[in-house]
Amino acid sequence: MTAPLVRPGHRGAPRPEGAAHGRTALVIGGGLAGTTAALALADAGMRVTLLEGRPRLGGLAFSFRRSSAAGELTVDNGQHVYLRCCTAYQGLLDRLGAARLAPLQSRLDVPVLDAEGRPGRRLGRLRRTALPVPLHLAASLAGYPHLSLAERARVGRAALALGRLDPEDPALDGEDFASWLHRHGQSPRAVEALWDLVGVATLNATAAHASLGLAAMVFKTGLLSEAGAADIGWARAPLGELHDTLARAALDTAGVRTELRTRVTAVSRTPEGRWRPHPADGAAATRPLEDADAVVLAVPQHDAHALLPDGALDDPGRLLRIGTAPILNLHVIYDRTVLRRPFFAALGSPVQWVFDRTDASGLRQTPGAGRSQYLAVSQSAAHEDIDRPVTELRARYLPELERLLPAARGAAVRDFFVTRERTATFAPVPGVGRLRPSAPTNAPGLYLAGAWTATGWPATMEGAVRSGLSAARAALTDIGRPHVNHLPAPGGETPEEAA
């Protein structure tokens, strides 16, 4: 079970059990933030309606069906991972009964292939031991073949200096990570082979375009807090099974009314002080929408700006100044097995991270023809490639995969297709921290959620879940019932007052 929504001593005295009963809440947006907020509010006794404009839940963590030369596939729009330090996301997985479908590594182990490396030195590994921080990574760093001995020593010193930074220091938000790395003796090779290897995947930006505050948060939390904090987890089943199918079941069980294909164009305050949603023409709600005591806008920042009533934020235009960053995913199906690891990261190539999605996709194997394999190539900070035609991407990336994977050189490509998320995350550029709003607004009963809000985290699944918890906590605080434990495992104890 995760920590209480509000710790003892927070403003607002708790009211007797049932203070939230009879209160109603409206959550607009059915991504991870909205699902989390809806469950938290429902668990606290509020009557909740969740509205989602798409025909499914999950936001950008979704799956779709594809007919291809390899048969019927279930395809994730992109490869999503989380770390052991992502405790709120793990709490959501537990709440959905989905933890078994997205297990964690027993210990961090990242194979790193260098396409330009010398024979015998192409493969390096970033892995931890059972030793305490910072010794847990010492052996891996000492033997990391992609850096010189001097570069490894300077990386160690920079990591210790990074550990002394306070990610919440506003001054760090205004500086870029690359400048800090340069001042601390990091070579371009060290940035590519270590700092950007991790940072691009977690921040969706290179060091030159990332806030030092967010970078410090990522590296301190993931690599310098606890030995196992950076152990990697990912879904072994389609994302849609976790964040749509199982999420809908959990919402139904919690008593949440979920309305799909129901887009909202505005919310307004009624004379009685309640919140009224205004659905778009053609919205498919199964019955009329009711006014609510509280509303959570769990939508992207530009959509939230369009929905905000006048006066809800002192400077609503700052939401429009929170930029976005793209993620590109390339999907390749070979007629044989070309990768014998679950995933790897790449250097010396435009390829970043490659995952084996064969089993999760339901790829049908042809009897007598060998085992086909489905690889997903995940490309973060993909500004240069996001709008390239598929033919160009194929010509660019298939030879790169052959350079990295010798077994792919004689393999036939049964299918190649692309998924693009042009606004996958908020851009973590220097200065973004002062633009990110907290959950409460100036309008009583109106709250914001989304990974782009002031969670302290970059745009991750963990940040999205934390934002939903923050919005629910603010709403419950305002009705006098803040002390609620949230996201128990299915069949576990019910939410209870914190001591």
Side-chain angles (χ1 to χ4, degrees), residues 41 62 72 74 95 101 173 180 210 241 245 268 315 326 339 347 372 405:
L41 294 169
F62 70 93
E72 289 291 320
T74 301
R95 182 67 170 81
L101 299 177
D173 177 53
W180 186 92
E241 184 174 342
T245 304
S268 62
D315 178 16
L339 173 65
L347 300 176
S372 297
L405 301 171

Tab-separated table of all heavy atoms in Angstrom, residues 41 62 72 74 95 101 173 180 210 241 245 268 315 326 339 347 372 405:
chain	number	residue	atom	x	y	z
A	41	LEU	N	-10.732	9.118	-5.453
A	41	LEU	CA	-11.933	9.823	-4.985
A	41	LEU	C	-13.056	8.836	-4.670
A	41	LEU	O	-13.774	8.984	-3.679
A	41	LEU	CB	-12.375	10.828	-6.042
A	41	LEU	CG	-11.405	11.991	-6.284
A	41	LEU	CD1	-11.802	12.766	-7.534
A	41	LEU	CD2	-11.344	12.916	-5.077
A	62	PHE	N	-1.496	2.722	-24.655
A	62	PHE	CA	-2.607	1.980	-25.237
A	62	PHE	C	-2.109	0.979	-26.273
A	62	PHE	O	-0.950	0.993	-26.692
A	62	PHE	CB	-3.626	2.930	-25.875
A	62	PHE	CG	-3.170	3.619	-27.135
A	62	PHE	CD1	-3.439	3.069	-28.381
A	62	PHE	CD2	-2.483	4.822	-27.076
A	62	PHE	CE1	-3.029	3.707	-29.554
A	62	PHE	CE2	-2.060	5.465	-28.238
A	62	PHE	CZ	-2.338	4.905	-29.478
A	72	GLU	N	-2.442	-11.405	-37.266
A	72	GLU	CA	-3.071	-10.421	-36.396
A	72	GLU	C	-2.174	-10.139	-35.193
A	72	GLU	O	-1.760	-11.071	-34.494
A	72	GLU	CB	-4.435	-10.922	-35.920
A	72	GLU	CG	-5.494	-10.938	-37.006
A	72	GLU	CD	-5.886	-9.530	-37.424
A	72	GLU	OE1	-5.995	-8.649	-36.552
A	72	GLU	OE2	-6.078	-9.305	-38.634
A	74	THR	N	-1.390	-7.581	-31.643
A	74	THR	CA	-1.784	-6.546	-30.693
A	74	THR	C	-0.557	-5.684	-30.448
A	74	THR	O	0.462	-6.165	-29.931
A	74	THR	CB	-2.276	-7.157	-29.368
A	74	THR	OG1	-3.390	-8.009	-29.641
A	74	THR	CG2	-2.709	-6.061	-28.412
A	95	ARG	N	-3.454	-1.960	-7.654
A	95	ARG	CA	-4.878	-1.638	-7.549
A	95	ARG	C	-5.669	-2.222	-8.714
A	95	ARG	O	-6.833	-2.617	-8.563
A	95	ARG	CB	-5.042	-0.113	-7.507
A	95	ARG	CG	-6.487	0.359	-7.356
A	95	ARG	CD	-7.019	-0.041	-5.977
A	95	ARG	NE	-8.296	0.595	-5.719
A	95	ARG	CZ	-9.466	0.149	-6.192
A	95	ARG	NH1	-9.503	-0.929	-6.952
A	95	ARG	NH2	-10.585	0.787	-5.898
A	101	LEU	N	1.540	-8.670	-14.626
A	101	LEU	CA	1.698	-8.481	-16.070
A	101	LEU	C	2.829	-7.518	-16.410
A	101	LEU	O	3.179	-7.369	-17.584
A	101	LEU	CB	0.390	-7.959	-16.676
A	101	LEU	CG	-0.824	-8.871	-16.512
A	101	LEU	CD1	-2.063	-8.202	-17.100
A	101	LEU	CD2	-0.583	-10.228	-17.149
A	173	ASP	N	16.471	24.601	-12.039
A	173	ASP	CA	15.488	24.537	-13.117
A	173	ASP	C	15.901	25.401	-14.303
A	173	ASP	O	15.559	25.081	-15.446
A	173	ASP	CB	14.120	24.983	-12.585
A	173	ASP	CG	13.054	25.017	-13.674
A	173	ASP	OD1	12.885	23.990	-14.356
A	173	ASP	OD2	12.396	26.065	-13.827
A	180	TRP	N	26.180	21.682	-17.007
A	180	TRP	CA	26.653	21.161	-15.714
A	180	TRP	C	27.603	19.987	-15.940
A	180	TRP	O	28.661	19.899	-15.302
A	180	TRP	CB	25.460	20.735	-14.874
A	180	TRP	CG	25.823	20.329	-13.474
A	180	TRP	CD1	25.863	21.124	-12.366
A	180	TRP	CD2	26.224	19.016	-13.038
A	180	TRP	NE1	26.253	20.390	-11.270
A	180	TRP	CE2	26.480	19.102	-11.649
A	180	TRP	CE3	26.377	17.794	-13.679
A	180	TRP	CZ2	26.882	17.999	-10.903
A	180	TRP	CZ3	26.789	16.694	-12.941
A	180	TRP	CH2	27.029	16.792	-11.566
A	210	ALA	N	17.659	19.639	-21.486
A	210	ALA	CA	16.990	19.180	-20.271
A	210	ALA	C	17.339	20.064	-19.090
A	210	ALA	O	18.494	20.476	-18.911
A	210	ALA	CB	17.380	17.735	-19.963
A	241	GLU	N	-4.440	-4.082	-22.125
A	241	GLU	CA	-4.988	-5.007	-21.130
A	241	GLU	C	-4.857	-4.417	-19.733
A	241	GLU	O	-5.753	-4.569	-18.898
A	241	GLU	CB	-4.273	-6.353	-21.214
A	241	GLU	CG	-4.850	-7.404	-20.272
A	241	GLU	CD	-4.231	-8.780	-20.479
A	241	GLU	OE1	-3.621	-9.005	-21.543
A	241	GLU	OE2	-4.363	-9.617	-19.567
A	245	THR	N	-8.584	-2.450	-20.191
A	245	THR	CA	-9.439	-3.550	-19.733
A	245	THR	C	-9.464	-3.659	-18.213
A	245	THR	O	-10.538	-3.626	-17.587
A	245	THR	CB	-8.969	-4.874	-20.355
A	245	THR	OG1	-8.959	-4.746	-21.780
A	245	THR	CG2	-9.884	-6.009	-19.941
A	268	SER	N	-18.313	24.812	-16.414
A	268	SER	CA	-18.736	26.119	-15.900
A	268	SER	C	-19.267	25.968	-14.481
A	268	SER	O	-19.726	24.897	-14.077
A	268	SER	CB	-19.808	26.733	-16.801
A	268	SER	OG	-20.964	25.908	-16.834
A	315	ASP	N	-2.013	32.979	-14.273
A	315	ASP	CA	-1.421	33.141	-15.606
A	315	ASP	C	-1.712	31.881	-16.417
A	315	ASP	O	-0.840	31.022	-16.593
A	315	ASP	CB	0.085	33.367	-15.495
A	315	ASP	CG	0.762	33.500	-16.860
A	315	ASP	OD1	0.037	33.718	-17.863
A	315	ASP	OD2	2.001	33.368	-16.915
A	326	PRO	N	8.453	14.733	-28.936
A	326	PRO	CA	7.910	13.540	-29.610
A	326	PRO	C	8.627	12.249	-29.217
A	326	PRO	O	9.779	12.257	-28.761
A	326	PRO	CB	8.154	13.852	-31.079
A	326	PRO	CG	9.444	14.637	-31.056
A	326	PRO	CD	9.420	15.445	-29.787
A	339	LEU	N	17.328	-11.518	-31.947
A	339	LEU	CA	17.724	-10.963	-30.646
A	339	LEU	C	17.382	-11.980	-29.574
A	339	LEU	O	16.232	-12.417	-29.478
A	339	LEU	CB	16.983	-9.642	-30.372
A	339	LEU	CG	17.162	-9.017	-28.983
A	339	LEU	CD1	18.615	-8.599	-28.773
A	339	LEU	CD2	16.228	-7.821	-28.817
A	347	LEU	N	24.580	2.293	-28.774
A	347	LEU	CA	25.472	3.438	-28.949
A	347	LEU	C	26.022	3.403	-30.373
A	347	LEU	O	25.996	2.370	-31.037
A	347	LEU	CB	26.642	3.372	-27.962
A	347	LEU	CG	26.327	3.360	-26.475
A	347	LEU	CD1	27.617	3.203	-25.684
A	347	LEU	CD2	25.599	4.630	-26.067
A	372	SER	N	9.355	-16.494	-35.844
A	372	SER	CA	9.422	-15.071	-36.172
A	372	SER	C	9.623	-14.263	-34.899
A	372	SER	O	9.311	-14.722	-33.791
A	372	SER	CB	8.142	-14.623	-36.874
A	372	SER	OG	7.980	-15.288	-38.108
A	405	LEU	N	22.821	-6.179	-34.790
A	405	LEU	CA	22.424	-7.570	-34.605
A	405	LEU	C	22.854	-8.376	-35.831
A	405	LEU	O	22.148	-8.400	-36.841
A	405	LEU	CB	20.908	-7.670	-34.419
A	405	LEU	CG	20.318	-6.888	-33.240
A	405	LEU	CD1	18.797	-6.895	-33.303
A	405	LEU	CD2	20.819	-7.459	-31.918
